[in-house]
Coordinates of all heavy atoms in Angstrom, one line a residue:
M1 N 5.4 16.0 -19.8 CA 4.9 16.0 -21.2 C 3.5 15.4 -21.3 O 2.9 15.5 -22.3 CB 5.9 15.2 -22.1 CG 7.3 15.9 -22.3 SD 8.3 14.9 -23.4 CE 8.8 13.5 -22.3
L2 N 3.0 14.8 -20.2 CA 1.7 14.2 -20.3 C 0.6 15.3 -20.1 O 0.9 16.4 -19.6 CB 1.6 13.2 -19.2 CG 2.6 12.0 -19.2 CD1 2.5 11.2 -18.0 CD2 2.3 11.2 -20.5
P3 N -0.6 15.0 -20.5 CA -1.7 16.0 -20.2 C -1.7 16.4 -18.8 O -1.6 15.5 -17.9 CB -3.0 15.2 -20.6 CG -2.4 14.1 -21.6 CD -1.1 13.8 -21.1
A4 N -1.9 17.7 -18.5 CA -1.8 18.2 -17.2 C -3.0 17.8 -16.3 O -2.8 17.6 -15.1 CB -1.8 19.7 -17.2
Q5 N -4.2 17.8 -16.8 CA -5.4 17.4 -16.1 C -6.1 16.3 -16.6 O -6.6 16.2 -17.7 CB -6.3 18.7 -16.0 CG -5.8 19.9 -15.5 CD -5.7 19.8 -14.0 OE1 -6.5 19.2 -13.3 NE2 -4.7 20.4 -13.4
Q6 N -6.2 15.2 -15.8 CA -7.0 14.0 -16.0 C -7.8 13.7 -14.9 O -7.5 14.1 -13.8 CB -6.0 12.9 -16.4 CG -5.2 13.1 -17.7 CD -4.4 11.9 -18.1 OE1 -4.5 10.9 -17.5 NE2 -3.5 12.1 -19.0
A7 N -8.9 12.9 -15.1 CA -9.8 12.6 -13.9 C -9.0 11.7 -12.9 O -8.3 10.8 -13.2 CB -10.9 11.8 -14.5
P8 N -9.1 12.2 -11.6 CA -8.4 11.5 -10.6 C -9.1 10.1 -10.3 O -10.3 10.0 -10.7 CB -8.6 12.3 -9.4 CG -9.0 13.6 -9.8 CD -9.6 13.5 -11.1
T9 N -8.4 9.1 -9.8 CA -9.0 7.8 -9.6 C -8.8 7.5 -8.1 O -7.9 8.0 -7.5 CB -8.4 6.7 -10.4 OG1 -7.1 6.6 -10.2 CG2 -8.7 6.9 -11.9
R10 N -9.6 6.7 -7.6 CA -9.5 6.2 -6.2 C -9.4 4.7 -6.3 O -10.2 4.1 -7.1 CB -10.7 6.7 -5.3 CG -10.8 8.2 -5.1 CD -12.0 8.5 -4.2 NE -12.1 9.9 -4.2 CZ -13.1 10.5 -4.8 NH1 -14.0 9.9 -5.5 NH2 -13.1 11.9 -4.8
S11 N -8.8 4.1 -5.3 CA -8.8 2.6 -5.2 C -8.6 2.3 -3.7 O -8.1 3.0 -2.9 CB -7.7 2.0 -6.0 OG -6.4 2.3 -5.6
V12 N -9.2 1.0 -3.4 CA -9.0 0.4 -2.1 C -8.4 -0.9 -2.3 O -8.8 -1.6 -3.2 CB -10.3 0.3 -1.4 CG1 -10.2 -0.4 0.0 CG2 -11.0 1.7 -1.2
T13 N -7.4 -1.3 -1.5 CA -6.7 -2.5 -1.7 C -6.6 -3.3 -0.3 O -6.3 -2.7 0.7 CB -5.2 -2.3 -2.2 OG1 -5.2 -1.6 -3.3 CG2 -4.4 -3.6 -2.3
L14 N -6.8 -4.6 -0.3 CA -6.6 -5.5 0.7 C -5.5 -6.3 0.4 O -5.5 -7.0 -0.6 CB -7.9 -6.3 1.0 CG -7.8 -7.3 2.2 CD1 -7.5 -6.6 3.6 CD2 -9.0 -8.1 2.3
A15 N -4.4 -6.2 1.2 CA -3.1 -7.0 0.9 C -2.7 -7.8 2.1 O -3.0 -7.4 3.2 CB -2.1 -6.0 0.4
A16 N -1.9 -8.7 1.8 CA -1.2 -9.5 2.9 C 0.1 -10.1 2.4 O 0.3 -10.2 1.2 CB -2.1 -10.7 3.4
G17 N 1.0 -10.4 3.4 CA 2.2 -11.0 3.0 C 3.2 -11.0 4.2 O 2.9 -10.7 5.3
P18 N 4.4 -11.5 3.9 CA 5.4 -11.7 4.9 C 6.0 -10.4 5.3 O 6.3 -9.5 4.5 CB 6.4 -12.6 4.3 CG 6.4 -12.4 2.9 CD 4.9 -12.0 2.6
M19 N 6.3 -10.2 6.7 CA 7.1 -9.0 7.2 C 8.2 -9.5 8.1 O 8.0 -10.4 8.9 CB 6.1 -8.2 8.1 CG 6.9 -7.2 8.9 SD 5.9 -6.6 10.4 CE 5.1 -5.2 9.6
S20 N 9.4 -9.2 7.6 CA 10.6 -9.5 8.4 C 10.7 -8.3 9.5 O 10.6 -7.1 9.1 CB 11.8 -9.6 7.6 OG 11.7 -10.7 6.7
F21 N 11.0 -8.5 10.7 CA 11.1 -7.5 11.7 C 12.3 -7.7 12.6 O 12.8 -8.7 12.8 CB 9.8 -7.4 12.5 CG 9.6 -8.5 13.3 CD1 10.1 -8.7 14.6 CD2 8.8 -9.7 12.9 CE1 9.9 -9.8 15.4 CE2 8.6 -10.8 13.6 CZ 9.2 -10.9 14.9
D22 N 12.7 -6.5 13.1 CA 13.8 -6.5 14.0 C 13.3 -5.5 15.2 O 13.4 -4.3 15.1 CB 15.1 -5.9 13.5 CG 16.3 -5.9 14.5 OD1 16.1 -6.4 15.6 OD2 17.3 -5.5 14.1
A23 N 12.6 -6.1 16.1 CA 12.1 -5.3 17.2 C 12.8 -5.9 18.5 O 14.0 -5.8 18.6 CB 10.6 -5.5 17.4
S24 N 12.1 -6.4 19.5 CA 12.8 -7.0 20.7 C 13.0 -8.5 20.3 O 12.4 -9.4 20.9 CB 11.9 -6.9 21.9 OG 11.9 -5.5 22.3
G25 N 13.7 -8.7 19.3 CA 14.0 -10.0 18.7 C 13.7 -9.8 17.1 O 13.1 -8.8 16.7
T26 N 14.1 -10.8 16.4 CA 13.9 -10.8 14.9 C 13.1 -12.0 14.5 O 13.0 -13.0 15.3 CB 15.3 -10.9 14.2 OG1 15.9 -12.1 14.6 CG2 16.2 -9.7 14.6
G27 N 12.4 -11.8 13.4 CA 11.7 -12.9 12.9 C 10.8 -12.5 11.7 O 11.1 -11.5 11.1
T28 N 9.9 -13.3 11.4 CA 9.0 -13.1 10.3 C 7.5 -13.2 10.8 O 7.2 -14.1 11.5 CB 9.2 -14.1 9.1 OG1 10.5 -14.0 8.7 CG2 8.3 -13.7 7.9
A29 N 6.7 -12.3 10.4 CA 5.3 -12.4 10.7 C 4.5 -12.1 9.4 O 5.0 -11.7 8.5 CB 5.0 -11.3 11.8
T30 N 3.1 -12.3 9.6 CA 2.2 -12.0 8.5 C 1.7 -10.6 8.8 O 1.2 -10.3 9.8 CB 1.2 -13.0 8.4 OG1 1.8 -14.4 8.1 CG2 0.2 -12.7 7.2
V31 N 1.7 -9.8 7.7 CA 1.1 -8.4 7.9 C -0.1 -8.4 6.9 O -0.1 -9.1 5.8 CB 2.1 -7.3 7.5 CG1 2.5 -7.4 6.0 CG2 1.5 -6.0 7.8
V32 N -1.2 -7.8 7.4 CA -2.5 -7.6 6.7 C -2.7 -6.1 6.6 O -2.6 -5.4 7.7 CB -3.6 -8.3 7.3 CG1 -4.9 -8.1 6.5 CG2 -3.4 -9.9 7.4
A33 N -2.9 -5.6 5.4 CA -3.1 -4.2 5.3 C -4.3 -3.8 4.4 O -4.6 -4.6 3.5 CB -1.8 -3.6 4.7
L34 N -4.9 -2.7 4.8 CA -6.0 -2.1 4.0 C -5.6 -0.7 3.7 O -5.2 0.1 4.5 CB -7.3 -2.1 4.9 CG -8.5 -1.5 4.2 CD1 -8.9 -2.3 2.9 CD2 -9.7 -1.3 5.1
S35 N -5.5 -0.4 2.3 CA -5.1 0.9 2.0 C -6.0 1.6 1.0 O -6.8 0.9 0.3 CB -3.6 0.8 1.3 OG -3.8 0.1 0.2
A36 N -6.0 2.9 1.0 CA -6.8 3.7 0.1 C -5.8 4.6 -0.7 O -5.0 5.2 -0.1 CB -7.9 4.5 0.8
V37 N -6.0 4.7 -2.0 CA -5.2 5.5 -2.8 C -6.0 6.5 -3.6 O -7.0 6.1 -4.2 CB -4.3 4.7 -3.8 CG1 -3.5 5.6 -4.8 CG2 -3.3 3.8 -3.1
Q38 N -5.6 7.8 -3.5 CA -6.3 8.8 -4.3 C -5.2 9.4 -5.3 O -4.2 9.9 -4.9 CB -6.7 10.0 -3.4 CG -7.2 11.2 -4.1 CD -8.5 11.0 -4.9 OE1 -9.5 10.5 -4.3 NE2 -8.5 11.3 -6.2

């Protein structure tokens, strides 16, 4: 129901936080991520 065509936006994000993992052992690590969204 929203307008069909609107101007696209782009963003870049720098994020960090805890990561729980189950690899060759389990634990928590800090993950740092850089993402781009279109």
Side-chain angles (χ1 to χ4, degrees):
M1 294 184 280
L2 299 173
Q5 297 288 325
Q6 295 182 9
T9 59
R10 294 182 187 107
S11 65
V12 175
T13 302
L14 180 61
M19 168 198 270
S20 295
F21 64 88
D22 185 359
S24 293
T26 59
T28 303
T30 299
V31 63
V32 177
L34 180 64
S35 63
V37 173
Q38 170 71 54

